[in-house]
């Protein structure tokens, strides 16, 4: 804690604890995928997933545990992961990135996490979301022979 008694998210397991540990992360992931099922703007993103979201839900819980400073459950079970490479086969564009972030933002708000935690997490989620989008764009361009995603 700092002088203002505000948790220093990102330090140690502060973010993991602020989310409520594995139980809180599980609630967040459940809400996230429920929102992906129900939000109109997430329709195309949802279509990129299997009909049964059980495996996606389980993997995201394990991943977020370690990503938020808690136990590295995903790495223990599956090894290390590069999120952009793991998602590069998907047609994720700006709309897909934004839909993912919207589902997460709505979920954090619905679960009534403190505004400072929601803001921190959304800033942190934005970086891998954009990296995934860029990798998908690069892969699409490479597969179609249309050049680099970074060409001027």
């Amino acid at each position: 804690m700092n002088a203002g008694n505000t948790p220093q998210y990102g330090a140690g397991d502060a973010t993991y604890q602020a989310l409520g540990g594995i139980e809180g992360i599980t609630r967040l992931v459940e809400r996230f995928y429920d929102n992906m099922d129900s939000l109109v703007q997430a329709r195309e993103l949802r279509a990129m997933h299997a009909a049964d979201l059980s495996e996606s839900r389980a993997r995201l819980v394990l991943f977020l545990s370690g990503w938020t400073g808690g136990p590295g459950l995903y790495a223990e079970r599956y090894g290390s992961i590069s999120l952009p490479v793991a998602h590069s086969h998907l047609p994720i564009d700006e709309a897909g990135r934004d839909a993912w972030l919207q589902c997460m933002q709505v979920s954090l708000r619905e679960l009534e996490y403190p505004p400072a935690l929601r803001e921190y997490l959304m800033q942190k989620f934005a970086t891998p979301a954009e990296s995934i989008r860029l990798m998908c764009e690069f892969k699409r361009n490479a597969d179609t022979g249309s050049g680099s995603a970074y060409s001027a």
Side-chain angles (χ1 to χ4, degrees), residues 31-40 42-43 46 50-51 53 57 103:
R31 194 73 212 118
F32 170 80
Y33 280 109
D34 289 348
N35 281 320
M36 189 184 290
D37 268 337
S38 65
L39 295 175
V40 173
R43 188 172 294 137
R46 176 59 179 93
L53 291 170
R57 290 175 191 260
C103 289

Side-chain angles (χ1 to χ4, degrees), residues 4-24:
N5 255 0
T6 302
Q8 292 296 304
Y9 303 123
D13 69 349
T15 307
Y16 176 80
Q17 294 300 329
L19 285 169
I22 198 69
E23 295 83 11

Side-chain angles (χ1 to χ4, degrees), residues 75-114:
E76 288 173 13
R77 178 175 249 177
Y78 300 107
S80 64
I81 184 173
S82 166
L83 290 177
V85 172
H87 293 86
S88 66
H89 67 285
L90 298 169
I92 298 171
D93 56 12
E94 290 178 2
R97 175 204 61 204
D98 293 348
W100 193 97
L101 291 168
Q102 178 72 25
C103 289
M104 190 56 76
Q105 185 173 44
V106 169
S107 301
L108 289 164
R109 188 174 56 245
E110 288 175 346
L111 292 172
E112 300 181 350
Y113 284 108

